[in-house]
Amino acid sequence: MAKNLPHSLDAERSVLGAVFLNPALANALTDELRAVDFFDPIHGYIFEAIDALNKEKKAIDYSSVSGKLDQMGKLEEVGGIQTLIELSNYTVALDHLETYIDLVRSFSLKREVIKVTQNIATQGLTTDIETDEYLEEAERLIFELSKKRKAGDFKPLKEVVQAIQEKLTFLQSHKGGITGLTTGFLKLDQYINGLQKEEFIILAARPSVGKSAFAIQLALNAAMKNKDGKAGVAFFSLEMSNEQLVTRMISNMANIENSKLRTGFLTSQEWKQFEAYSERLNRLNIFFDDSASSNLSDIRAKCRKLAQEGKLDLIVIDYLQLIHIDARTQSRQEEVSRISRSLKQLARELSVPVIALSQLSRDVERSSDKRPLLSHLRESGSIEQDADIVMFIHRDEYYEREKSDAGDTEIIVAKNRQGRTGTIHFIFSANYSRFLERSDREE
């Protein structure tokens, strides 16, 4: 069966032989291919050796590649330096390298499609799996393959200018108003121009400062105040249950203390408020997922399904460091970096804003004024890199426990690729999980 799988040994020999004829082509080769793209395992080993030397910025020739293969314990299996010399004979013209690379990658993708579809068929035939779960897993696997197709061509300048003209026309027709989803907070909207499509937004704070409450209110406001109350919000909570989330929403809207909703000791008036605002909540398109074991693939599949149904305008994830990934990583920092990049890609793929909550490191508590900085983002510098907007929640009362908690809170817009940075003053009422912007007069 393996011999019948799509492949071209001549194309594989040609791309490898080209590097020995012109070592400067190593970058093009290693940028576009992986060792697993080669059908012949011997060719895969040779590619790994070339890739390793290229990353080490060392010379690439017959001697250095054979030396690297010897270090890998694969030189004898490959057939020695003679095999490397023979590869050059298969390269007809260096000008055709891109064609050979495309062939190798194309056949590799076909083999992956065959493998995945066979696995899907086997799973359906041999396991007792629910239909919905089976379809979701099949969709996820096929989607992962589709991402491996070659990236699109360059866009000519004319097309980009036309897109900018269309955007400017849209902005002019809105007379300076916000162009994204409104957050429900006037000043915050002025700073970030609303929650923009494709933006990856980080909301970070130390534990118990109120980041979950703020995220809940952003989700609630986005659902209520956009598209005539029909905007769709996907809320992934890896720490709190769905009931806890909705309880906070009801507390926020109905002006009933959280503690009363947890104990059930409501006055007759509060029961009326509870029923009235519960009815209003029922009309909103907010979709919850409180699976503590959610991984990136699950989140992507569920969001993709909502988007296909036209029910997705915002994604909120509470919180980033609790997301699992399927692939093995060498360190926690690398894992968080992959999660961050994937969430940015998700925002671009589905063309919706993604808000991800993040923890701050303890270093913020060692600073003199306890004010968070971008360098305090926990476990990965790539979070700062990937994010379009980074917002911090800061409360002096959190660090000065002897002070009475007046609820004074700062939302610090520390990074904003497309707009202003600065501090917006809020009042946070923990009993009602509610944030209110201070008026200009109060400030």
Side-chain angles (χ1 to χ4, degrees), residues 246-247 249-251 253-256 261 264 266-283:
V246 176
T247 296
M249 287 185 173
I250 294 172
S251 174
M253 293 177 66
N255 207 39
I256 304 172
L261 288 171
L266 275 62
T267 65
S268 58
Q269 179 58 35
E270 287 169 339
W271 269 110
K272 290 178 182 178
Q273 291 170 224
F274 171 80
E275 291 171 353
Y277 283 97
S278 294
E279 184 60 33
R280 288 185 62 181
L281 275 175
N282 288 339
R283 293 195 290 268

Side-chain angles (χ1 to χ4, degrees), residues 75 116 143 329 333 356 370 382:
L75 183 59
V116 165
F143 178 73
T329 53
Q333 183 172 348
K370 308 293 191 295
S382 70

Side-chain angles (χ1 to χ4, degrees), residues 297-440:
S297 300
D298 294 333
I299 290 171
R300 187 185 295 111
K302 290 171 184 177
C303 289
R304 196 162 57 241
K305 184 178 179 182
L306 281 178
Q308 289 169 349
E309 295 171 355
K311 297 178 181 178
L312 186 66
D313 297 284
L314 172 66
I315 300 169
V316 182
I317 300 172
D318 183 9
Y319 59 92
L320 186 148
Q321 281 85 1
L322 289 179
I323 297 175
H324 301 287
I325 60 174
D326 296 327
R328 291 183 179 179
T329 53
Q330 295 180 348
S331 67
R332 176 59 180 162
Q333 183 172 348
E334 183 186 346
E335 184 177 28
V336 172
S337 296
R338 290 189 62 173
I339 293 167
S340 174
R341 284 193 298 272
S342 295
L343 292 179
K344 173 60 180 174
Q345 290 166 359
L346 182 64
R348 295 193 62 184
E349 176 207 335
L350 299 181
S351 192
V352 299
V354 173
I355 300 175
L357 278 59
S358 176
Q359 287 192 345
L360 293 174
S361 69
R362 291 186 179 275
D363 291 343
V364 69
E365 298 182 8
R366 301 187 188 105
S367 61
S368 57
D369 61 0
K370 308 293 191 295
R371 294 176 66 79
L373 303 172
L374 291 171
S375 58
H376 293 142
L377 285 168
R378 185 172 171 182
E379 292 175 321
S380 177
S382 70
I383 296 177
E384 174 191 347
Q385 236 175 3
D386 296 328
D388 298 288
I389 295 173
V390 177
M391 297 188 291
F392 297 125
I393 305 177
H394 175 68
R395 295 171 59 206
D396 284 332
E397 288 91 347
Y398 178 82
Y399 301 101
E400 300 176 24
R401 304 301 173 111
E402 67 278 2
K403 281 189 175 183
S404 59
D405 190 351
D408 293 325
T409 304
E410 296 176 7
I411 302 296
I412 303 168
V413 182
K415 177 184 178 181
N416 187 0
R417 280 204 174 107
Q418 304 295 333
R420 296 166 59 187
T421 58
T423 300
I424 308 168
H425 295 277
F426 281 75
I427 295 292
F428 174 52
S429 176
N431 289 338
Y432 301 97
S433 301
R434 183 189 302 137
F435 283 83
L436 294 172
E437 281 184 332
R438 283 188 177 276
S439 68
D440 289 336

Side-chain angles (χ1 to χ4, degrees), residues 16 19-20 26 29-30 35 38 41-75 78 84:
L16 295 173
V19 177
F20 291 109
L29 181 67
T30 57
F38 292 86
I42 288 176
H43 295 158
Y45 299 144
I46 296 171
F47 175 87
E48 284 184 31
I50 293 172
D51 189 28
L53 290 168
N54 192 48
K55 287 176 180 174
E56 295 166 6
K57 300 189 185 305
K58 293 182 179 178
I60 296 174
D61 52 37
Y62 300 123
S63 178
S64 63
V65 174
S66 64
K68 180 59 71 174
L69 285 166
D70 194 26
Q71 289 179 18
M72 294 164 53
K74 299 294 182 182
L75 183 59
V78 163
L84 306 182

Side-chain angles (χ1 to χ4, degrees), residues 109-215:
L109 186 56
K110 283 182 180 179
R111 292 195 300 272
E112 286 194 67
V113 172
I114 291 169
K115 180 181 177 181
V116 165
T117 52
Q118 285 177 337
N119 288 341
I120 291 171
T122 301
Q123 188 177 20
L125 291 168
T126 61
T127 61
D128 187 14
I129 186 172
E130 293 292 333
T131 302
D132 288 346
E133 184 183 348
Y134 182 50
L135 286 173
E136 188 175 299
E137 178 66 6
E139 182 186 63
R140 182 186 70 80
L141 292 170
I142 295 298
F143 178 73
E144 288 295 323
L145 285 177
S146 70
K147 292 195 301 183
K148 295 180 181 179
R149 289 182 298 185
K150 188 174 180 180
D153 295 329
F154 284 114
K155 273 194 175 181
L157 179 61
K158 183 178 179 181
E159 287 186 22
V160 180
V161 171
Q162 184 179 352
I164 293 173
Q165 287 175 336
E166 291 173 357
K167 186 174 182 180
L168 285 173
T169 302
F170 172 79
L171 292 173
Q172 191 175 38
S173 67
H174 282 67
K175 299 179 181 178
I178 68 163
T179 56
L181 299 174
T182 179
T183 64
F185 298 119
L186 179 61
K187 287 190 177 177
L188 183 57
D189 280 342
Q190 290 172 350
Y191 270 69
I192 67 174
N193 202 25
L195 303 170
Q196 297 288 328
K197 292 180 179 180
E198 300 187 8
E199 282 193 338
F200 178 40
I201 302 162
I202 289 292
L203 177 63
R206 290 294 292 153
S208 302
V209 171
K211 61 180 180 291
S212 292
F214 194 66

